[in-house]
Amino acid sequence: MASVRTALGSTAYSCAVFLGDMTGPDGNTEALEELLALIPSDVPKLLVPGDEDPPLLAATAHSSLSVWSDWAERLMSLGVTLVDEPVSLTRGKSTLWFVPEYIYSLDLDSMESVYRSQAETLSAQETFLTADEAAQLRAAQWQLEKLDRIREVRKNFSTDNVLITLSHTPLSEEYLSTMMAWSAKDNGFSLRHTDLILSAHYCAGQWR
């Protein structure tokens, strides 16, 4: 961590974004916690998971009744915001929206149908739910609530805001061109109008 401490030095920054592959498949947060300790407590810390990290949500029973996985809960207790949906920060007169890339192409109606069916099926069971089934029900209900929040952001989003897209894997030119072709020109909440894209996955990551 000495090199990270040196790199940070006395640099002033208003936010720290972690773009995945920070724990490994076992969800070990020890190294990440050392890194977090180098960042001032009043600086917002945002994280999106990578392909080598475990899922954020617990689909099976675990050590608590939280919808979040144990490693995710640990990071939240340390002040990390898990970006699984649009998250906003206010800086002066500006509102910055941090959006996981997958949100732009999410079919909210289809996803709602899937999660509502799961929740209704589990809720209608005449026998007591197993611990794993209860965890699945909590996750489905949470996903339904998240979809409602995403709808509100999409509906009320203003292009006066700063739109920052977070993607663990860098986005190719072909993918960006396709996504922009699919999105309406007047849709401010889209990759077409994003101000900054931050990615990781490869050494040193990428920004656009």
Side-chain angles (χ1 to χ4, degrees):
M1 289 298 172
S3 59
V4 176
R5 184 181 292 105
T6 300
L8 290 175
S10 58
T11 301
Y13 49 96
S14 59
C15 181
V17 181
F18 302 92
L19 294 162
D21 289 355
M22 304 299 296
T23 72
D26 61 353
N28 186 336
T29 62
E30 184 176 347
L32 178 54
E33 289 181 39
E34 291 183 29
L35 178 56
L36 291 171
L38 301 179
I39 300 173
S41 59
D42 61 341
V43 171
K45 305 163 187 67
L46 286 69
L47 178 142
V48 293
D51 57 333
E52 292 296 326
D53 296 321
L56 288 177
L57 298 186
T60 57
H62 62 130
S63 62
S64 77
L65 295 179
S66 168
V67 71
W68 299 102
S69 299
D70 290 335
W71 74 277
E73 276 198 87
R74 174 60 182 164
L75 294 181
M76 292 172 69
S77 73
L78 296 173
V80 176
T81 298
L82 305 176
V83 187
D84 192 38
E85 59 186 275
V87 171
S88 66
L89 293 177
T90 301
R91 285 294 175 269
K93 296 182 179 180
S94 300
T95 299
L96 284 64
W97 280 97
F98 295 83
V99 180
E101 176 274 327
Y102 81 93
I103 295 290
Y104 298 121
S105 58
L106 197 62
D107 185 333
L108 298 181
D109 292 337
S110 295
M111 295 302 296
E112 179 180 2
S113 178
V114 170
Y115 290 124
R116 193 168 300 284
S117 176
Q118 290 179 1
E120 290 175 352
T121 298
L122 289 166
S123 298
Q125 288 188 193
E126 296 182 359
T127 57
F128 287 111
L129 296 178
T130 65
D132 284 348
E133 289 171 336
Q136 293 165 15
L137 177 57
R138 288 193 296 272
Q141 292 171 333
W142 187 89
Q143 292 284 16
L144 288 170
E145 294 168 0
K146 182 180 79 171
L147 292 176
D148 285 340
R149 293 192 293 271
I150 294 172
R151 279 195 179 92
E152 284 299 307
V153 173
R154 283 185 176 181
K155 182 174 67 176
N156 299 315
F157 185 80
S158 169
T159 52
D160 292 335
N161 298 328
V162 178
L163 187 57
I164 301 172
T165 297
L166 307 182
S167 173
H168 170 66
T169 304
L171 307 178
S172 68
E173 293 284 358
E174 180 181 3
Y175 176 80
L176 289 171
S177 297
T178 300
M179 287 296 293
M180 286 188 281
W182 284 352
S183 63
K185 291 183 179 180
D186 60 352
N187 179 13
F189 187 80
S190 68
L191 273 173
R192 178 187 292 276
H193 294 289
T194 192
D195 296 286
L196 176 66
I197 301 175
L198 299 177
S199 306
H201 194 60
Y202 304 129
C203 292
Q206 181 187 86
W207 63 270
R208 289 178 180 267

